[in-house]
């Protein structure tokens, strides 16, 4: 089973198990990568600056998971004059800057923050929190300029595209399998001018940014599927959310999984129809009235992650109730010599 225990210093450690229900429950709490191929990692729950206990725990964890072990930590911590790390600048645009160019600039900024390989996630992301609270965390990311992981990149991408009304944003998450372990990943899908693309962060270049050039949602998902197969991963499940509000003070919750598609139980034609249906559902949401933003005083008193009576009710896709169909056979490269080795994405 999935095991988790709160530790002193505001951290949380989880390890992977095989119980699907607990796996889904933990994912709902916003900890997408706590089950990253069986490799445990910590989440900093004490805020920034990082307290001493969390800091020391991070280095002990690095010593356990890094090939060079304790030597790496000693080499870095023993240097008195480490080079100053450049702080990336939040992108700014000219009025004539096109939407694709702006998205590329945002992705460049996300990439410059670098992927967090420490085993300790610096920003705590709870998916159940209102959008306004998540945008406050995104602002903190730009101030601190620390390395991030995929879920943090999605929140940051929403924040950096809020002032682009011509760009619709939606969460797009994946569950893949390699050598007996499951891996979870998420990106921010984008739609503008009749084309789809994506923003995000990953260890793998082709599992994050996708230029705004895919004609359909099916084309975008298939491109990610092909990238997964390139790393000998089998894509099992895709979850797609609804369009996210452009109002940074909205008290709405992000709808993370409006549709849940079991890729290996759907034929290609069934998958195409379900993705077309989801795209229609997203278009229908545009123009629907949203709850008014709270006053400044009310915003200051907010922040509870608990679901309120006015929170949106998640729609359960009919795909979840679909009986198992013919399994899609994916062409796999030979992996006979990879038993016990994990290719992390």
């Amino acid at each position: 089973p999935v095991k988790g225990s709160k530790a002193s210093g505001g951290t949380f450690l989880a390890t992977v198990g095989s119980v699907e229900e607990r796996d889904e429950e933990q994912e709902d709490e916003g900890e997408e990568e706590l089950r990253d191929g069986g490799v445990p990692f910590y989440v900093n729950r004490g805020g920034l600056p990082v307290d001493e206990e969390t800091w020391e725990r991070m280095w002990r964890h690095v010593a356990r998971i890094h090939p060079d072990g304790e030597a790496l930590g000693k080499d870095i911590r023993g240097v008195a004059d480490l080079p100053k790390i450049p702080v990336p600048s939040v992108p700014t645009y000219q009025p004539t800057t096109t939407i694709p160019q702006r998205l590329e600039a945002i992705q460049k900024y996300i990439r410059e923050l670098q992927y967090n390989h420490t085993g300790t996630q610096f920003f705590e992301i709870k998916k159940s929190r209102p959008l306004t609270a998540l945008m406050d965390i995104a602002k903190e990311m730009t101030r601190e300029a620390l390395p991030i992981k995929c879920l943090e990149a999605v929140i940051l991408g929403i924040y950096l595209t809020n002032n682009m009304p011509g760009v619709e944003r939606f969460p797009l998450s994946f569950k893949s399998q390699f050598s007996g372990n499951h891996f979870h990943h998420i990106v921010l899908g984008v739609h503008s001018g009749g084309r789809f693309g994506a923003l995000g962060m990953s260890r793998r270049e082709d599992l994050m940014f996708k230029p705004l050039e895919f004609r359909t949602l099916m084309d975008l998902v298939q491109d990610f599927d092909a990238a997964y197969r390139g790393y000998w991963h089998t894509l099992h499940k895709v979850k797609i959310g609804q369009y996210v509000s452009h109002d940074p003070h909205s008290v709405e919750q992000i709808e993370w999984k409006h549709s849940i598609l079991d890729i290996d139980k759907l034929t290609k034609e069934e998958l195409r129809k379900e993705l077309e249906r989801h795209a229609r559902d997203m278009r229908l949401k545009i123009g629907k009235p949203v709850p008014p933003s709270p006053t400044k005083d009310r915003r200051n008193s907010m922040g509870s992650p608990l679901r309120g009576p006015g929170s949106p009710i998640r729609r359960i896709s009919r795909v979840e109730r679909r009986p198992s169909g013919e399994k899609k056979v994916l062409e796999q490269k030979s992996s006979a010599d990879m038993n016990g080795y994990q290719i992390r994405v």
Side-chain angles (χ1 to χ4, degrees):
V2 176
K3 298 178 181 178
S5 62
K6 288 189 176 180
S8 59
T11 60
F12 185 91
L13 175 65
T15 54
V16 170
S18 59
V19 180
E20 182 77 13
E21 292 80 3
R22 294 287 296 277
D23 180 80
E24 296 292 339
E25 177 183 326
Q26 199 166 44
E27 185 177 327
D28 283 343
E29 287 304 308
E31 295 146 2
E32 279 287 342
E33 295 193 328
L34 288 180
R35 303 162 308 284
D36 192 7
V39 180
F41 73 95
Y42 290 94
V43 176
N44 169 36
R45 300 198 188 280
L48 296 169
V50 177
D51 60 66
E52 184 175 358
E53 172 60 25
T54 304
W55 182 251
E56 293 301 326
R57 191 183 301 274
M58 180 190 77
W59 284 107
R60 290 196 298 270
H61 192 50
V62 167
R64 287 194 298 268
I65 65 175
H66 196 277
D68 293 335
E70 294 183 4
L72 175 74
K74 290 179 180 178
D75 288 345
I76 295 175
R77 304 183 77 180
V79 177
D81 54 344
L82 288 169
K84 189 173 181 180
I85 303 298
V87 176
S89 299
V90 176
T92 57
Y93 322 102
Q94 298 296 324
T96 55
T97 306
T98 65
I99 293 296
Q101 289 172 336
R102 294 182 185 209
L103 293 177
E104 288 180 11
I106 290 171
Q107 182 62 49
K108 181 175 181 290
Y109 172 75
I110 292 174
R111 188 181 286 110
E112 287 175 347
L113 292 177
Q114 300 186 31
Y115 189 89
N116 181 358
H117 293 279
T118 66
T120 298
Q121 181 175 306
F122 296 122
F123 302 95
E124 181 185 10
I125 307 296
K126 284 187 175 292
K127 288 182 174 179
S128 55
R129 301 197 75 185
L131 185 60
T132 179
L134 295 175
M135 293 302 94
D136 287 342
I137 296 174
K139 290 179 188 176
E140 190 175 24
M141 290 184 208
T142 62
R143 288 195 302 267
E144 301 294 340
L146 292 169
I148 58 176
K149 294 169 78 80
C150 63
L151 184 56
E152 295 158 297
V154 167
I155 301 303
L156 184 57
I158 293 171
Y159 174 72
L160 295 174
T161 53
N162 274 337
N163 61 351
M164 299 166 62
V167 177
E168 299 296 343
R169 300 81 43 84
F170 58 95
L172 177 61
S173 59
F174 308 94
K175 180 179 181 179
S176 64
Q177 184 175 11
F178 174 81
S179 191
N181 279 321
H182 289 99
F183 295 76
H184 294 79
H185 181 48
I186 188 168
V187 297
L188 182 66
V190 292
H191 181 257
S192 180
R195 293 291 185 270
F196 288 92
L199 300 170
M201 176 65 87
S202 172
R203 300 177 185 87
R204 309 295 177 178
E205 189 69 26
D206 49 359
L207 287 175
M208 39 200 265
F209 177 68
K210 301 293 182 183
L212 202 62
E213 60 183 30
F214 296 90
R215 190 177 59 84
T216 66
L217 193 52
M218 177 72 167
D219 293 339
L220 178 63
V221 169
Q222 283 187 314
D223 192 81
F224 275 105
D225 186 22
Y228 271 108
R229 283 187 277 115
Y231 301 110
W232 297 279
H233 276 237
T234 300
L235 186 60
H236 284 310
K237 190 173 290 188
V238 174
K239 300 178 184 179
I240 318 171
Q242 274 281 20
Y243 284 157
V244 179
S245 169
H246 284 266
D247 179 4
H249 306 301
S250 172
V251 297
E252 286 186 82
Q253 292 174 320
I254 296 174
E255 189 172 356
W256 295 94
K257 45 185 182 181
H258 184 77
S259 296
I260 302 175
L261 309 179
D262 292 308
I263 301 297
D264 49 356
K265 296 179 182 178
L266 297 173
T267 65
K268 186 174 181 179
E269 182 61 21
E270 287 173 334
L271 177 61
R272 183 186 64 78
K273 288 181 178 179
E274 291 298 339
L275 291 172
E276 287 178 353
R277 176 195 56 76
H278 183 89
R280 286 195 301 270
D281 287 349
M282 290 195 296
R283 288 196 299 270
L284 288 173
K285 186 182 179 183
I286 301 177
K288 285 189 177 180
V290 296
S293 298
T295 62
K296 183 177 180 181
D297 290 340
R298 184 180 168 201
R299 288 201 301 270
N300 289 339
S301 66
M302 288 188 56
S304 171
L306 297 178
R307 182 183 294 273
S311 300
I313 299 174
R314 181 183 300 126
R315 171 178 172 179
I316 303 300
S317 167
R318 67 175 182 267
V319 182
E320 292 182 274
R321 301 187 294 273
R322 178 185 298 277
S324 298
E326 294 182 5
K327 294 203 171 186
K328 183 177 173 184
V329 179
L330 297 177
E331 292 184 8
Q332 296 284 347
K333 297 178 184 178
S334 174
S335 57
D337 58 340
M338 292 190 177
N339 290 335
Y341 179 73
Q342 297 300 314
I343 298 181
R344 303 174 72 192
V345 295

